Amino acid sequence: MNLHLDLVLDRRGLATLPRLFQVAANEPAHRALGKRLLWALLAVALLGGGAALVAMARGHHVMGTTSEVPWGILIATYVFLVVSSTGLGLVSSLGHVFGFKLFEPIATRAMFLSLVTLVVGFSVIATELERPILLAKLALLSPNPASPIWWMGTLYGVYLVIIAAELYFLLIGDHRKSRIGGLVTVVAALSIHPTSNLGAVFGLSHARPYWNGPLLPIAFIASALVCGAALLILVVYFGDYFKKDKQLREGNAPLLEALGKLLALFIGITVLIGTWRIITGLNGGHYHLKEVTLALLTGPLFFSFWFFEVFVGTALPLTVLLGRKARSPRHLALAAGLTLLGVFVSRLNFVYAGQMFSLKPVAGRLGESMEYAPPFKGNVAGFLPYTPSLVEALVVAGALAAAVLLFVGGSKALKLVKENSHG
Amino acid sequence: MARYGMTVDQTLCVTCNACVIACKNENAVPAGAARCWTVQSERGVFPLLSVETRSERCNHCDNAPCVSACPTGASHYEAGGIVVVSKERCVGCKVCVIACPYEVRYVHPEGHVDKCSFCAHRVTQGKQPACVGVCPTGALSFGDLDDPRSKVHRQLQSRQFMVLKPEEDTRPKLFFLTSRGTP
């Protein structure tokens, strides 16, 4: 066991870590820039860590959430990260499960990033929860199988163990265990379930018509694929960009192109799902469903929906991906980055939109229709306000920075980039 | 086994908020939060106006979405079908707040979720919930819905009543009596 661990994480690998941040005098400009960026990310991550400690010590007092809008940006970030984790597992399985040779070189890095996003996602939710350790304990000691949260948490926990094991076998090069052992297939199958159940956490909320329905558990998987493909484009692009290895660049060009095509396909699927959700929403049928849909289309969420979700996150990337520049790595990376930005904002909109109208009925008599959407709590616009607090914003920024740092540093320590150069 | 429920006689409720204060005192409800509250809403167009009054709280649903949603069993049914939140088991995920169609829960400053418990601690001693005991007009009644001798049972047999959001299929045990006399 020790021998194996040494193989995976030897001292030389760890010793290279400080060099990650050192800017040498003769450093090429792009590498120096990259290292300064890492320093900035480290600062943001530390700040976020501090904010997380404050959040854990003071609980919801330092959050922007209320009893009426109990879920905020931390839930949205958790969703963004863990759904990305699934997406990475799924897209990378194209190589090591389904045997598409083109995708094999990124398998290990994808599994590692999947692990990183999952761990950081768990950290974010632990910050949000009042008593995260108690949840872990009670999930085992007094489980409630009727609860979608219990299934989601438990399955993500299992998924974490399995991808860690899978990554370990990939790293020590034990293909007998990692391939023939069937673990990879299990990963591919299992990775769908936690995310599907996360969709169910929202989808089974009968009281929230904007979330309620059988579509979300499926929509979340489509969205996971978008995140997985976009993140892998960035991983391959930046991995090469800081290498300046022409051979490596050219070698990876077909991979990037394929990932770009997949990304366009996955975005297309989410557009299809999103469009039908809007049409169903405008059709109404249940209190607030039409109002929430209109809040996105023409109401308070107008800008973040049309600009970030539709224009930045969908239209621009699709234009690039389907246009003439679809083979340019730089443009592919741009499209991937914009897509991820759009997805992140869509998570925020999604989490908030489900809670933006009060559920309190104000009037109603036998034989008369009930009214559920009055102006309330002094808010004439009729929707419940939520603005992330500074602590919440810092935790989110810190978590995203930490994910990048953990991935870059971890890849270095585990020599994942070197492994990649064979491919 | 008893099946506890409550009736709110809308023809008697004057929204004096005595129930709200009694509840706050009895259950040490923190400032800014409430386990029960009153609703007063005007309906119609001048001069044909009417005012509807209600004292509201958790509906203690027979089919409670909060109980299904809770991952740890903190939200659970007590004896008599009373829905309570055990603060020792609450991890603060707030999914019950999301699941409840009536928005009757609040996040306690200590971090757990809290709501009306039908004063289960009093009921087990044979007492009435604090709000029922204090109501000056007798608008609130509490008892075993299945016991033909109980006031709530008789009221539901003889009066017109409504429940909130019946379409949610939660089967609430908080009933609003909407008219005098027999239907």
Side-chain angles (χ1 to χ4, degrees):
Chain A
M1 190 68 181
N2 274 340
L3 180 72
H4 282 163
L5 270 179
D6 281 352
L7 278 170
V8 173
L9 193 72
D10 70 358
R11 289 197 188 93
R12 276 166 298 160
L14 279 178
T16 57
L17 271 185
R19 265 192 274 153
L20 206 61
F21 291 96
Q22 279 167 14
V23 184
N26 58 346
E27 198 89 75
H30 69 280
R31 284 184 72 101
L33 175 73
K35 286 181 173 179
R36 284 198 194 96
L37 201 64
L38 285 182
W39 274 110
L41 285 175
L42 186 65
V44 175
L46 289 175
L47 210 58
L53 289 179
V54 173
M56 287 173 119
R58 302 229 33 229
H60 65 278
H61 299 281
V62 292
M63 311 280 190
T65 49
T66 58
S67 288
E68 289 79 28
V69 185
W71 285 355
I73 194 170
L74 294 185
I75 298 285
T77 308
Y78 166 74
V79 172
F80 177 75
L81 286 166
V82 298
V83 169
S84 294
S85 172
T86 296
L88 287 159
L90 286 174
V91 177
S92 78
S93 70
L94 284 173
H96 60 159
V97 178
F98 298 104
F100 290 95
K101 289 259 180 274
L102 192 58
F103 296 93
E104 276 180 5
I106 43 165
T108 318
R109 283 195 285 175
M111 291 314 287
F112 181 59
L113 186 54
S114 178
L115 185 69
V116 166
T117 46
L118 191 57
V119 168
V120 176
F122 275 163
S123 310
V124 172
I125 201 78
T127 313
E128 216 281 335
L129 285 172
E130 208 64 41
R131 294 149 90 189
I133 296 167
L134 185 68
L135 175 60
K137 192 177 129 193
L138 289 180
L140 293 171
L141 297 181
S142 89
N144 178 12
S147 161
I149 283 210
W150 182 81
W151 281 103
M152 181 265 293
T154 307
L155 288 169
Y156 267 124
V158 172
Y159 181 57
L160 176 74
V161 174
I162 286 181
I163 51 175
E166 162 73 1
L167 182 69
Y168 176 74
F169 291 130
L170 278 172
L171 282 170
I172 62 171
D174 195 335
H175 294 289
R176 193 171 49 87
K177 276 189 184 138
S178 71
R179 285 189 188 172
I180 305 161
L183 202 53
V184 278
T185 322
V186 177
V187 170
L190 260 180
S191 59
I192 292 173
H193 291 291
T195 292
S196 217
N197 274 276
L198 178 57
V201 168
F202 297 98
L204 288 179
S205 299
H206 194 254
R208 314 270 171 180
Y210 181 65
W211 292 340
N212 185 225
L215 195 55
L216 280 188
I218 298 157
F220 267 48
I221 293 170
S223 179
L225 290 166
V226 170
C227 295
L231 280 168
L232 284 181
I233 289 176
L234 293 182
V235 165
V236 176
Y237 176 75
F238 283 107
D240 298 349
Y241 185 76
F242 291 107
K243 282 271 152 334
K244 281 277 174 181
D245 183 335
K246 207 176 168 206
Q247 203 184 349
L248 184 61
R249 282 189 156 198
E250 284 170 2
N252 275 335
L255 172 59
L256 272 179
E257 202 186 321
L259 283 171
K261 283 178 184 163
L262 280 179
L263 180 58
L265 170 68
F266 297 150
I267 292 177
I269 295 171
T270 56
V271 168
L272 183 70
I273 294 174
T275 307
W276 279 113
R277 285 200 71 202
I278 287 174
I279 293 171
T280 318
L282 287 176
N283 222 18
H286 208 330
Y287 57 90
H288 290 173
L289 182 54
K290 191 175 178 181
E291 285 80 358
V292 174
T293 311
L294 286 173
L296 281 161
L297 297 178
T298 57
L301 297 173
F302 173 85
F303 184 74
S304 65
F305 176 74
W306 286 108
F307 183 74
F308 283 107
E309 276 195 59
V310 176
F311 180 66
V312 172
T314 309
L316 274 184
L318 274 184
T319 313
V320 174
L321 294 169
L322 301 174
R324 271 194 225 150
K325 300 278 189 187
R327 288 183 179 186
S328 142
R330 195 181 287 252
H331 284 85
L332 283 171
L334 177 72
L338 291 175
T339 305
L340 287 170
L341 177 63
V343 170
F344 186 78
V345 176
S346 80
R347 298 277 185 266
L348 271 176
N349 287 343
F350 170 77
V351 168
Y352 172 56
Q355 311 167 71
M356 65 189 299
F357 284 96
S358 174
L359 299 179
K360 275 203 172 104
V362 288
R365 285 185 168 193
L366 198 70
E368 291 180 21
S369 62
M370 300 286 268
E371 291 167 22
Y372 298 111
F376 44 83
K377 292 189 170 56
N379 188 334
V380 286
F383 61 91
L384 294 163
Y386 165 70
T387 313
S389 69
L390 179 65
V391 169
E392 280 175 297
L394 285 176
V395 169
V396 170
L400 297 178
V404 176
L405 279 178
L406 279 173
F407 177 69
V408 174
S411 309
K412 194 95 175 165
L414 298 168
K415 297 180 185 164
L416 299 185
V417 186
K418 192 179 154 206
E419 169 253 5
N420 176 60
S421 61
H422 300 307
Chain B
M1 175 66 76
R3 197 168 69 90
Y4 291 116
M6 190 182 281
T7 56
V8 180
D9 193 334
Q10 291 191 272
T11 63
L12 295 178
C13 177
V14 293
T15 60
C16 66
N17 285 315
C19 49
V20 180
I21 304 300
C23 171
K24 281 210 156 209
N25 286 340
E26 177 68 29
N27 298 297
V29 179
R35 280 181 169 201
C36 90
W37 55 91
T38 58
V39 176
Q40 205 179 63
S41 56
E42 295 81 22
R43 299 178 67 82
V45 181
F46 181 81
L48 301 169
L49 288 170
S50 64
V51 176
E52 185 186 354
T53 55
R54 277 205 303 269
S55 165
E56 277 186 20
R57 61 198 44 64
C58 171
N59 289 260
H60 294 274
C61 311
D62 270 342
N63 183 23
C66 55
V67 173
S68 312
C70 178
T72 64
S75 284
H76 65 282
Y77 300 107
E78 284 275 299
I82 299 177
V83 179
V84 296
V85 185
S86 146
K87 70 173 181 183
E88 291 76 26
R89 281 186 169 195
C90 178
V91 298
C93 73
K94 296 171 277 188
V95 71
C96 54
V97 185
I98 294 292
C100 174
Y102 305 106
E103 215 175 276
V104 301
R105 289 157 178 258
Y106 68 92
V107 184
H108 196 280
E110 287 170 12
H112 60 87
V113 170
D114 192 40
K115 68 162 193 75
C116 162
S117 62
F118 267 170
C119 286
H121 58 287
R122 290 172 60 96
V123 173
T124 50
Q125 294 169 7
K127 296 180 190 166
Q128 296 272 299
C131 56
V132 176
V134 80
C135 179
T137 60
L140 302 176
S141 306
F142 177 84
D144 182 358
L145 295 169
D146 293 341
D147 180 1
R149 291 164 301 171
S150 75
K151 187 179 173 188
V152 286
H153 182 92
R154 281 183 280 119
Q155 281 177 321
L156 294 178
Q157 290 294 316
S158 62
R159 301 276 302 272
Q160 280 193 342
F161 63 87
M162 64 159 198
V163 293
L164 297 178
K165 298 191 183 179
E167 70 277 12
E168 292 285 337
D169 194 27
T170 52
R171 284 178 272 144
K173 295 202 289 288
L174 180 65
F175 300 89
F176 297 93
L177 308 173
T178 51
S179 66
R180 290 182 188 280
T182 48

